[in-house]
Amino acid sequence: MRTFTGKDEVLAAVGETLGTSDWVEVTQQMVDQFAEATGDHQWIHVDPERAKRESPFGGPIAHGYLTLSLLPLFTSQIFTFANAKLGINYGSNKVRFPSPVPVGAKVRSTAVLVDANEVAGGALQLVVQHTVETEGGSKPAVIAEAVSRVVF
């Protein structure tokens, strides 16, 4: 766990790998709950029997956006800000889903601080590239640049 205590530490860390999260198993229950929350009930995600029969992946896969939605969990395991008054998600610059995440697979993220700069109001804007890998996979499941703001 990397802990930043102020703006100067963050700015000095641009270009560094901040760390890697723990493995998280993607379960069918998570996929089903995500489908309920988003309205995305495509059979490749929520019908395990049909996915085993008809999908090119041999079974159900997680929604790409479900995997993306794990970034806050991964981030909380990789780095934090001591003495921060506020932290918010600001958006994403780039998001790609190079390979699917089979239900039952474990995923984790490695985070690199790509950019950090001060913005209006004294907040620090960070761009963190997350590369989410599937245990045993040959290609990343997600590559995303997450943009956030922190006020110390």
Side-chain angles (χ1 to χ4, degrees):
M1 169 65 77
R2 177 88 180 257
T3 301
F4 293 100
T5 59
K7 291 180 185 180
D8 292 339
E9 279 186 24
V10 177
L11 293 170
V14 170
E16 292 182 18
T17 298
L18 301 177
T20 300
S21 71
D22 296 333
W23 291 104
V24 173
E25 182 178 354
V26 177
T27 66
Q28 187 64 53
Q29 181 181 6
M30 290 168 67
V31 170
D32 293 343
Q33 289 174 334
F34 191 83
E36 283 302 313
T38 63
D40 182 350
H41 297 278
Q42 187 180 161
W43 63 268
I44 202 162
H45 305 302
V46 299
D47 188 338
E49 293 308 314
R50 183 175 177 191
K52 285 177 190 170
R53 285 191 319 270
E54 298 179 31
S55 114
F57 309 111
I61 59 170
H63 304 76
Y65 284 114
L66 166 58
T67 308
L68 181 67
S69 75
L70 295 173
L71 292 188
L73 171 64
F74 295 143
T75 297
S76 72
Q77 296 176 355
I78 298 170
F79 64 95
T80 189
F81 304 99
N83 309 315
K85 296 176 186 174
L86 174 70
I88 60 168
N89 292 323
Y90 193 70
S92 298
N93 288 339
K94 297 177 187 176
V95 177
R96 299 290 183 268
F97 305 108
S99 67
V101 175
V103 169
K106 292 181 180 179
V107 293
R108 69 178 180 184
S109 176
T110 298
V112 175
L113 181 59
V114 174
D115 193 21
N117 56 67
E118 212 165 327
V119 294
L124 203 58
Q125 181 166 299
L126 287 74
V127 178
V128 176
Q129 180 178 306
H130 285 271
T131 302
V132 179
E133 64 179 312
T134 304
E135 189 174 44
S138 61
K139 292 192 324 187
V142 176
I143 301 171
E145 284 188 358
V147 183
S148 59
R149 289 190 172 180
V150 178
V151 177
F152 285 95

